[in-house]
PDB file of all heavy atoms in Angstrom:
ATOM      1  N   LEU A   5      11.130  -9.347  -2.803  1.00 87.00           N
ATOM      2  CA  LEU A   5       9.806  -9.906  -2.947  1.00 87.00           C
ATOM      3  C   LEU A   5       9.897 -11.415  -3.153  1.00 87.00           C
ATOM      4  O   LEU A   5      10.830 -11.913  -3.781  1.00 87.00           O
ATOM      5  CB  LEU A   5       9.097  -9.265  -4.140  1.00 87.00           C
ATOM      6  CG  LEU A   5       8.921  -7.728  -4.052  1.00 87.00           C
ATOM      7  CD1 LEU A   5       8.242  -7.222  -5.350  1.00 87.00           C
ATOM      8  CD2 LEU A   5       8.096  -7.356  -2.852  1.00 87.00           C
ATOM      9  N   SER A   6       8.917 -12.108  -2.605  1.00 81.00           N
ATOM     10  CA  SER A   6       8.908 -13.583  -2.689  1.00 81.00           C
ATOM     11  C   SER A   6       8.891 -14.059  -4.136  1.00 81.00           C
ATOM     12  O   SER A   6       8.050 -13.636  -4.925  1.00 81.00           O
ATOM     13  CB  SER A   6       7.668 -14.129  -1.960  1.00 81.00           C
ATOM     14  OG  SER A   6       7.598 -15.515  -2.083  1.00 81.00           O
ATOM     15  N   GLY A   7       9.840 -14.895  -4.473  1.00 82.00           N
ATOM     16  CA  GLY A   7       9.895 -15.455  -5.813  1.00 82.00           C
ATOM     17  C   GLY A   7      10.414 -14.494  -6.883  1.00 82.00           C
ATOM     18  O   GLY A   7      10.365 -14.810  -8.066  1.00 82.00           O
ATOM     19  N   VAL A   8      10.877 -13.316  -6.468  1.00 88.00           N
ATOM     20  CA  VAL A   8      11.344 -12.313  -7.430  1.00 88.00           C
ATOM     21  C   VAL A   8      12.799 -11.999  -7.153  1.00 88.00           C
ATOM     22  O   VAL A   8      13.152 -11.482  -6.088  1.00 88.00           O
ATOM     23  CB  VAL A   8      10.509 -11.007  -7.309  1.00 88.00           C
ATOM     24  CG1 VAL A   8      11.050  -9.934  -8.261  1.00 88.00           C
ATOM     25  CG2 VAL A   8       9.031 -11.293  -7.620  1.00 88.00           C
ATOM     26  N   ASN A   9      13.676 -12.303  -8.091  1.00 92.00           N
ATOM     27  CA  ASN A   9      15.114 -12.134  -7.896  1.00 92.00           C
ATOM     28  C   ASN A   9      15.545 -10.736  -8.345  1.00 92.00           C
ATOM     29  O   ASN A   9      16.257 -10.560  -9.341  1.00 92.00           O
ATOM     30  CB  ASN A   9      15.884 -13.200  -8.669  1.00 92.00           C
ATOM     31  CG  ASN A   9      17.375 -13.173  -8.356  1.00 92.00           C
ATOM     32  OD1 ASN A   9      17.779 -12.760  -7.264  1.00 92.00           O
ATOM     33  ND2 ASN A   9      18.198 -13.571  -9.305  1.00 92.00           N
ATOM     34  N   VAL A  10      15.059  -9.726  -7.604  1.00 96.00           N
ATOM     35  CA  VAL A  10      15.382  -8.338  -7.917  1.00 96.00           C
ATOM     36  C   VAL A  10      15.848  -7.660  -6.625  1.00 96.00           C
ATOM     37  O   VAL A  10      15.195  -7.786  -5.604  1.00 96.00           O
ATOM     38  CB  VAL A  10      14.141  -7.596  -8.481  1.00 96.00           C
ATOM     39  CG1 VAL A  10      14.501  -6.146  -8.841  1.00 96.00           C
ATOM     40  CG2 VAL A  10      13.596  -8.309  -9.711  1.00 96.00           C
ATOM     41  N   PRO A  11      16.989  -6.959  -6.651  1.00 97.00           N
ATOM     42  CA  PRO A  11      17.492  -6.348  -5.419  1.00 97.00           C
ATOM     43  C   PRO A  11      16.614  -5.206  -4.911  1.00 97.00           C
ATOM     44  O   PRO A  11      15.942  -4.532  -5.696  1.00 97.00           O
ATOM     45  CB  PRO A  11      18.872  -5.828  -5.823  1.00 97.00           C
ATOM     46  CG  PRO A  11      18.766  -5.606  -7.305  1.00 97.00           C
ATOM     47  CD  PRO A  11      17.859  -6.679  -7.804  1.00 97.00           C
ATOM     48  N   THR A  12      16.598  -5.043  -3.601  1.00 97.00           N
ATOM     49  CA  THR A  12      15.923  -3.877  -3.031  1.00 97.00           C
ATOM     50  C   THR A  12      16.822  -2.664  -3.148  1.00 97.00           C
ATOM     51  O   THR A  12      18.033  -2.769  -3.334  1.00 97.00           O
ATOM     52  CB  THR A  12      15.609  -4.109  -1.521  1.00 97.00           C
ATOM     53  OG1 THR A  12      16.879  -4.153  -0.811  1.00 97.00           O
ATOM     54  CG2 THR A  12      14.852  -5.398  -1.297  1.00 97.00           C
ATOM     55  N   LEU A  13      16.225  -1.497  -3.058  1.00 98.00           N
ATOM     56  CA  LEU A  13      17.022  -0.262  -3.077  1.00 98.00           C
ATOM     57  C   LEU A  13      17.999  -0.257  -1.913  1.00 98.00           C
ATOM     58  O   LEU A  13      19.141   0.204  -2.057  1.00 98.00           O
ATOM     59  CB  LEU A  13      16.080   0.965  -2.999  1.00 98.00           C
ATOM     60  CG  LEU A  13      15.282   1.252  -4.264  1.00 98.00           C
ATOM     61  CD1 LEU A  13      14.190   2.297  -3.995  1.00 98.00           C
ATOM     62  CD2 LEU A  13      16.189   1.735  -5.410  1.00 98.00           C
ATOM     63  N   LYS A  14      17.553  -0.766  -0.748  1.00 97.00           N
ATOM     64  CA  LYS A  14      18.451  -0.816   0.407  1.00 97.00           C
ATOM     65  C   LYS A  14      19.670  -1.681   0.152  1.00 97.00           C
ATOM     66  O   LYS A  14      20.778  -1.333   0.600  1.00 97.00           O
ATOM     67  CB  LYS A  14      17.682  -1.306   1.634  1.00 97.00           C
ATOM     68  CG  LYS A  14      16.635  -0.343   2.168  1.00 97.00           C
ATOM     69  CD  LYS A  14      16.081  -0.754   3.507  1.00 97.00           C
ATOM     70  CE  LYS A  14      17.106  -0.489   4.627  1.00 97.00           C
ATOM     71  NZ  LYS A  14      16.507  -0.693   5.971  1.00 97.00           N
ATOM     72  N   GLU A  15      19.485  -2.788  -0.551  1.00 97.00           N
ATOM     73  CA  GLU A  15      20.615  -3.627  -0.904  1.00 97.00           C
ATOM     74  C   GLU A  15      21.636  -2.873  -1.757  1.00 97.00           C
ATOM     75  O   GLU A  15      22.847  -3.130  -1.694  1.00 97.00           O
ATOM     76  CB  GLU A  15      20.155  -4.832  -1.724  1.00 97.00           C
ATOM     77  CG  GLU A  15      19.549  -5.977  -0.934  1.00 97.00           C
ATOM     78  CD  GLU A  15      19.200  -7.130  -1.864  1.00 97.00           C
ATOM     79  OE1 GLU A  15      20.142  -7.751  -2.418  1.00 97.00           O
ATOM     80  OE2 GLU A  15      18.000  -7.418  -2.028  1.00 97.00           O
ATOM     81  N   LEU A  16      21.133  -1.947  -2.551  1.00 97.00           N
ATOM     82  CA  LEU A  16      21.993  -1.170  -3.449  1.00 97.00           C
ATOM     83  C   LEU A  16      22.574   0.054  -2.771  1.00 97.00           C
ATOM     84  O   LEU A  16      23.199   0.884  -3.438  1.00 97.00           O
ATOM     85  CB  LEU A  16      21.185  -0.748  -4.694  1.00 97.00           C
ATOM     86  CG  LEU A  16      20.579  -1.913  -5.506  1.00 97.00           C
ATOM     87  CD1 LEU A  16      19.714  -1.374  -6.631  1.00 97.00           C
ATOM     88  CD2 LEU A  16      21.677  -2.802  -6.071  1.00 97.00           C
ATOM     89  N   GLY A  17      22.347   0.174  -1.473  1.00 97.00           N
ATOM     90  CA  GLY A  17      22.900   1.292  -0.719  1.00 97.00           C
ATOM     91  C   GLY A  17      22.067   2.541  -0.751  1.00 97.00           C
ATOM     92  O   GLY A  17      22.539   3.641  -0.373  1.00 97.00           O
ATOM     93  N   ILE A  18      20.795   2.408  -1.169  1.00 97.00           N
ATOM     94  CA  ILE A  18      19.882   3.562  -1.245  1.00 97.00           C
ATOM     95  C   ILE A  18      18.778   3.333  -0.210  1.00 97.00           C
ATOM     96  O   ILE A  18      17.938   2.460  -0.384  1.00 97.00           O
ATOM     97  CB  ILE A  18      19.273   3.719  -2.652  1.00 97.00           C
ATOM     98  CG1 ILE A  18      20.374   3.795  -3.706  1.00 97.00           C
ATOM     99  CG2 ILE A  18      18.391   4.979  -2.716  1.00 97.00           C
ATOM    100  CD1 ILE A  18      19.860   3.623  -5.117  1.00 97.00           C
ATOM    101  N   ASP A  19      18.827   4.056   0.877  1.00 95.00           N
ATOM    102  CA  ASP A  19      17.930   3.798   2.009  1.00 95.00           C
ATOM    103  C   ASP A  19      16.519   4.318   1.767  1.00 95.00           C
ATOM    104  O   ASP A  19      16.085   5.313   2.357  1.00 95.00           O
ATOM    105  CB  ASP A  19      18.522   4.405   3.287  1.00 95.00           C
ATOM    106  CG  ASP A  19      17.773   3.958   4.533  1.00 95.00           C
ATOM    107  OD1 ASP A  19      17.016   2.954   4.465  1.00 95.00           O
ATOM    108  OD2 ASP A  19      17.928   4.604   5.587  1.00 95.00           O
ATOM    109  N   VAL A  20      15.809   3.618   0.880  1.00 93.00           N
ATOM    110  CA  VAL A  20      14.415   4.023   0.527  1.00 93.00           C
ATOM    111  C   VAL A  20      13.529   2.776   0.586  1.00 93.00           C
ATOM    112  O   VAL A  20      13.818   1.788  -0.081  1.00 93.00           O
ATOM    113  CB  VAL A  20      14.340   4.657  -0.874  1.00 93.00           C
ATOM    114  CG1 VAL A  20      12.877   4.850  -1.273  1.00 93.00           C
ATOM    115  CG2 VAL A  20      15.088   5.973  -0.914  1.00 93.00           C
ATOM    116  N   VAL A  21      12.468   2.844   1.396  1.00 88.00           N
ATOM    117  CA  VAL A  21      11.466   1.804   1.446  1.00 88.00           C
ATOM    118  C   VAL A  21      10.090   2.500   1.398  1.00 88.00           C
ATOM    119  O   VAL A  21       9.814   3.386   2.231  1.00 88.00           O
ATOM    120  CB  VAL A  21      11.556   0.957   2.749  1.00 88.00           C
ATOM    121  CG1 VAL A  21      10.414  -0.048   2.818  1.00 88.00           C
ATOM    122  CG2 VAL A  21      12.902   0.249   2.813  1.00 88.00           C
ATOM    123  N   ILE A  22       9.257   2.139   0.444  1.00 88.00           N
ATOM    124  CA  ILE A  22       7.949   2.773   0.356  1.00 88.00           C
ATOM    125  C   ILE A  22       6.964   1.781  -0.270  1.00 88.00           C
ATOM    126  O   ILE A  22       7.282   1.086  -1.254  1.00 88.00           O
ATOM    127  CB  ILE A  22       7.994   4.077  -0.469  1.00 88.00           C
ATOM    128  CG1 ILE A  22       6.639   4.780  -0.522  1.00 88.00           C
ATOM    129  CG2 ILE A  22       8.586   3.844  -1.864  1.00 88.00           C
ATOM    130  CD1 ILE A  22       6.689   6.185  -1.116  1.00 88.00           C
ATOM    131  N   GLY A  23       5.771   1.667   0.311  1.00 84.00           N
ATOM    132  CA  GLY A  23       4.735   0.753  -0.174  1.00 84.00           C
ATOM    133  C   GLY A  23       3.546   1.492  -0.739  1.00 84.00           C
ATOM    134  O   GLY A  23       3.270   2.627  -0.396  1.00 84.00           O
ATOM    135  N   ASN A  24       2.828   0.796  -1.584  1.00 87.00           N
ATOM    136  CA  ASN A  24       1.651   1.343  -2.230  1.00 87.00           C
ATOM    137  C   ASN A  24       0.416   0.542  -1.778  1.00 87.00           C
ATOM    138  O   ASN A  24       0.150  -0.539  -2.272  1.00 87.00           O
ATOM    139  CB  ASN A  24       1.788   1.265  -3.752  1.00 87.00           C
ATOM    140  CG  ASN A  24       0.585   1.851  -4.476  1.00 87.00           C
ATOM    141  OD1 ASN A  24      -0.220   2.546  -3.907  1.00 87.00           O
ATOM    142  ND2 ASN A  24       0.469   1.525  -5.773  1.00 87.00           N
ATOM    143  N   TRP A  25      -0.300   1.064  -0.777  1.00 92.00           N
ATOM    144  CA  TRP A  25      -1.474   0.362  -0.264  1.00 92.00           C
ATOM    145  C   TRP A  25      -2.717   0.764  -1.037  1.00 92.00           C
ATOM    146  O   TRP A  25      -2.769   1.858  -1.624  1.00 92.00           O
ATOM    147  CB  TRP A  25      -1.665   0.626   1.239  1.00 92.00           C
ATOM    148  CG  TRP A  25      -1.848   2.066   1.592  1.00 92.00           C
ATOM    149  CD1 TRP A  25      -0.878   2.994   1.891  1.00 92.00           C
ATOM    150  CD2 TRP A  25      -3.096   2.796   1.623  1.00 92.00           C
ATOM    151  NE1 TRP A  25      -1.426   4.242   2.128  1.00 92.00           N
ATOM    152  CE2 TRP A  25      -2.789   4.139   1.961  1.00 92.00           C
ATOM    153  CE3 TRP A  25      -4.419   2.457   1.383  1.00 92.00           C
ATOM    154  CZ2 TRP A  25      -3.779   5.121   2.094  1.00 92.00           C
ATOM    155  CZ3 TRP A  25      -5.409   3.428   1.515  1.00 92.00           C
ATOM    156  CH2 TRP A  25      -5.070   4.745   1.860  1.00 92.00           C
ATOM    157  N   ARG A  26      -3.714  -0.112  -1.012  1.00 95.00           N
ATOM    158  CA  ARG A  26      -5.004   0.175  -1.687  1.00 95.00           C
ATOM    159  C   ARG A  26      -6.160  -0.201  -0.765  1.00 95.00           C
ATOM    160  O   ARG A  26      -6.056  -1.084   0.045  1.00 95.00           O
ATOM    161  CB  ARG A  26      -5.111  -0.606  -2.992  1.00 95.00           C
ATOM    162  CG  ARG A  26      -4.025  -0.250  -4.001  1.00 95.00           C
ATOM    163  CD  ARG A  26      -4.225  -0.901  -5.353  1.00 95.00           C
ATOM    164  NE  ARG A  26      -3.150  -0.503  -6.262  1.00 95.00           N
ATOM    165  CZ  ARG A  26      -2.224  -1.329  -6.732  1.00 95.00           C
ATOM    166  NH1 ARG A  26      -2.253  -2.606  -6.389  1.00 95.00           N
ATOM    167  NH2 ARG A  26      -1.280  -0.900  -7.541  1.00 95.00           N
ATOM    168  N   GLY A  27      -7.258   0.540  -0.914  1.00 98.00           N
ATOM    169  CA  GLY A  27      -8.426   0.300  -0.084  1.00 98.00           C
ATOM    170  C   GLY A  27      -9.691   0.638  -0.819  1.00 98.00           C
ATOM    171  O   GLY A  27      -9.667   0.911  -2.042  1.00 98.00           O
ATOM    172  N   VAL A  28     -10.811   0.605  -0.114  1.00 98.00           N
ATOM    173  CA  VAL A  28     -12.094   0.951  -0.699  1.00 98.00           C
ATOM    174  C   VAL A  28     -12.853   1.905   0.214  1.00 98.00           C
ATOM    175  O   VAL A  28     -12.753   1.819   1.421  1.00 98.00           O
ATOM    176  CB  VAL A  28     -12.976  -0.298  -0.995  1.00 98.00           C
ATOM    177  CG1 VAL A  28     -12.405  -1.097  -2.155  1.00 98.00           C
ATOM    178  CG2 VAL A  28     -13.110  -1.174   0.253  1.00 98.00           C
ATOM    179  N   TYR A  29     -13.588   2.819  -0.420  1.00 98.00           N
ATOM    180  CA  TYR A  29     -14.429   3.790   0.278  1.00 98.00           C
ATOM    181  C   TYR A  29     -15.879   3.602  -0.165  1.00 98.00           C
ATOM    182  O   TYR A  29     -16.109   3.146  -1.311  1.00 98.00           O
ATOM    183  CB  TYR A  29     -13.996   5.209  -0.017  1.00 98.00           C
ATOM    184  CG  TYR A  29     -13.060   5.822   0.985  1.00 98.00           C
ATOM    185  CD1 TYR A  29     -11.887   5.196   1.361  1.00 98.00           C
ATOM    186  CD2 TYR A  29     -13.335   7.048   1.583  1.00 98.00           C
ATOM    187  CE1 TYR A  29     -11.010   5.763   2.296  1.00 98.00           C
ATOM    188  CE2 TYR A  29     -12.481   7.626   2.527  1.00 98.00           C
ATOM    189  CZ  TYR A  29     -11.340   6.990   2.867  1.00 98.00           C
ATOM    190  OH  TYR A  29     -10.492   7.560   3.794  1.00 98.00           O
ATOM    191  N   GLY A  30     -16.775   3.986   0.712  1.00 98.00           N
ATOM    192  CA  GLY A  30     -18.191   4.006   0.368  1.00 98.00           C
ATOM    193  C   GLY A  30     -18.658   5.413   0.028  1.00 98.00           C
ATOM    194  O   GLY A  30     -17.877   6.373   0.138  1.00 98.00           O
ATOM    195  N   ALA A  31     -19.898   5.524  -0.341  1.00 98.00           N
ATOM    196  CA  ALA A  31     -20.452   6.822  -0.772  1.00 98.00           C
ATOM    197  C   ALA A  31     -20.634   7.782   0.417  1.00 98.00           C
ATOM    198  O   ALA A  31     -20.701   7.361   1.571  1.00 98.00           O
ATOM    199  CB  ALA A  31     -21.803   6.588  -1.453  1.00 98.00           C
ATOM    200  N   PRO A  32     -20.727   9.064   0.124  1.00 98.00           N
ATOM    201  CA  PRO A  32     -21.036  10.046   1.159  1.00 98.00           C
ATOM    202  C   PRO A  32     -22.462   9.820   1.679  1.00 98.00           C
ATOM    203  O   PRO A  32     -23.333   9.369   0.934  1.00 98.00           O
ATOM    204  CB  PRO A  32     -20.934  11.408   0.450  1.00 98.00           C
ATOM    205  CG  PRO A  32     -20.302  11.131  -0.874  1.00 98.00           C
ATOM    206  CD  PRO A  32     -20.595   9.714  -1.214  1.00 98.00           C
ATOM    207  N   GLY A  33     -22.701  10.145   2.930  1.00 97.00           N
ATOM    208  CA  GLY A  33     -24.056  10.219   3.442  1.00 97.00           C
ATOM    209  C   GLY A  33     -24.725   8.878   3.738  1.00 97.00           C
ATOM    210  O   GLY A  33     -25.944   8.844   3.971  1.00 97.00           O
ATOM    211  N   ILE A  34     -23.993   7.770   3.730  1.00 98.00           N
ATOM    212  CA  ILE A  34     -24.649   6.511   4.098  1.00 98.00           C
ATOM    213  C   ILE A  34     -24.755   6.445   5.626  1.00 98.00           C
ATOM    214  O   ILE A  34     -23.968   7.057   6.345  1.00 98.00           O
ATOM    215  CB  ILE A  34     -23.906   5.269   3.533  1.00 98.00           C
ATOM    216  CG1 ILE A  34     -22.460   5.203   4.051  1.00 98.00           C
ATOM    217  CG2 ILE A  34     -23.925   5.285   2.024  1.00 98.00           C
ATOM    218  CD1 ILE A  34     -21.706   3.937   3.624  1.00 98.00           C
ATOM    219  N   THR A  35     -25.715   5.673   6.120  1.00 97.00           N
ATOM    220  CA  THR A  35     -25.950   5.587   7.562  1.00 97.00           C
ATOM    221  C   THR A  35     -24.923   4.674   8.219  1.00 97.00           C
ATOM    222  O   THR A  35     -24.264   3.883   7.539  1.00 97.00           O
ATOM    223  CB  THR A  35     -27.354   5.030   7.834  1.00 97.00           C
ATOM    224  OG1 THR A  35     -27.364   3.650   7.407  1.00 97.00           O
ATOM    225  CG2 THR A  35     -28.423   5.821   7.110  1.00 97.00           C
ATOM    226  N   PRO A  36     -24.740   4.769   9.546  1.00 97.00           N
ATOM    227  CA  PRO A  36     -23.831   3.865  10.236  1.00 97.00           C
ATOM    228  C   PRO A  36     -24.165   2.385  10.000  1.00 97.00           C
ATOM    229  O   PRO A  36     -23.271   1.538   9.842  1.00 97.00           O
ATOM    230  CB  PRO A  36     -24.000   4.224  11.689  1.00 97.00           C
ATOM    231  CG  PRO A  36     -24.411   5.673  11.681  1.00 97.00           C
ATOM    232  CD  PRO A  36     -25.268   5.797  10.459  1.00 97.00           C
ATOM    233  N   GLU A  37     -25.462   2.075   9.902  1.00 97.00           N
ATOM    234  CA  GLU A  37     -25.891   0.715   9.649  1.00 97.00           C
ATOM    235  C   GLU A  37     -25.470   0.265   8.242  1.00 97.00           C
ATOM    236  O   GLU A  37     -25.019  -0.882   8.038  1.00 97.00           O
ATOM    237  CB  GLU A  37     -27.402   0.581   9.817  1.00 97.00           C
ATOM    238  CG  GLU A  37     -27.919   0.773  11.251  1.00 97.00           C
ATOM    239  CD  GLU A  37     -27.940   2.241  11.683  1.00 97.00           C
ATOM    240  OE1 GLU A  37     -27.868   3.117  10.805  1.00 97.00           O
ATOM    241  OE2 GLU A  37     -27.979   2.485  12.906  1.00 97.00           O
ATOM    242  N   GLN A  38     -25.656   1.157   7.283  1.00 97.00           N
ATOM    243  CA  GLN A  38     -25.268   0.825   5.902  1.00 97.00           C
ATOM    244  C   GLN A  38     -23.743   0.680   5.787  1.00 97.00           C
ATOM    245  O   GLN A  38     -23.260  -0.189   5.067  1.00 97.00           O
ATOM    246  CB  GLN A  38     -25.770   1.934   4.952  1.00 97.00           C
ATOM    247  CG  GLN A  38     -27.283   1.931   4.789  1.00 97.00           C
ATOM    248  CD  GLN A  38     -27.775   3.155   4.043  1.00 97.00           C
ATOM    249  OE1 GLN A  38     -27.152   4.242   4.068  1.00 97.00           O
ATOM    250  NE2 GLN A  38     -28.890   3.026   3.355  1.00 97.00           N
ATOM    251  N   ARG A  39     -23.046   1.521   6.511  1.00 97.00           N
ATOM    252  CA  ARG A  39     -21.570   1.436   6.483  1.00 97.00           C
ATOM    253  C   ARG A  39     -21.099   0.093   7.057  1.00 97.00           C
ATOM    254  O   ARG A  39     -20.213  -0.551   6.518  1.00 97.00           O
ATOM    255  CB  ARG A  39     -20.965   2.600   7.261  1.00 97.00           C
ATOM    256  CG  ARG A  39     -19.433   2.580   7.322  1.00 97.00           C
ATOM    257  CD  ARG A  39     -18.903   3.734   8.140  1.00 97.00           C
ATOM    258  NE  ARG A  39     -17.450   3.760   8.175  1.00 97.00           N
ATOM    259  CZ  ARG A  39     -16.717   4.676   8.820  1.00 97.00           C
ATOM    260  NH1 ARG A  39     -17.331   5.648   9.493  1.00 97.00           N
ATOM    261  NH2 ARG A  39     -15.401   4.629   8.799  1.00 97.00           N
TER     262      ARG A  39
END
């Protein structure tokens, strides 16, 4: 990571890469125009 001096799992010989994404949802039943 930028500016972070911490090794990746891959650097340590452990072939694991996984990200945590975030998003937003709207309410059920809104119209296409409202969406």
Side-chain angles (χ1 to χ4, degrees):
L5 301 177
S6 177
V8 177
N9 188 28
V10 182
T12 67
L13 288 168
K14 290 191 74 171
E15 281 183 66
L16 301 175
I18 306 166
D19 190 16
V20 172
V21 176
I22 182 171
N24 181 16
W25 60 269
R26 298 187 180 112
V28 289
Y29 264 54
I34 59 175
T35 67
E37 293 76 18
Q38 290 170 333
R39 180 181 181 181

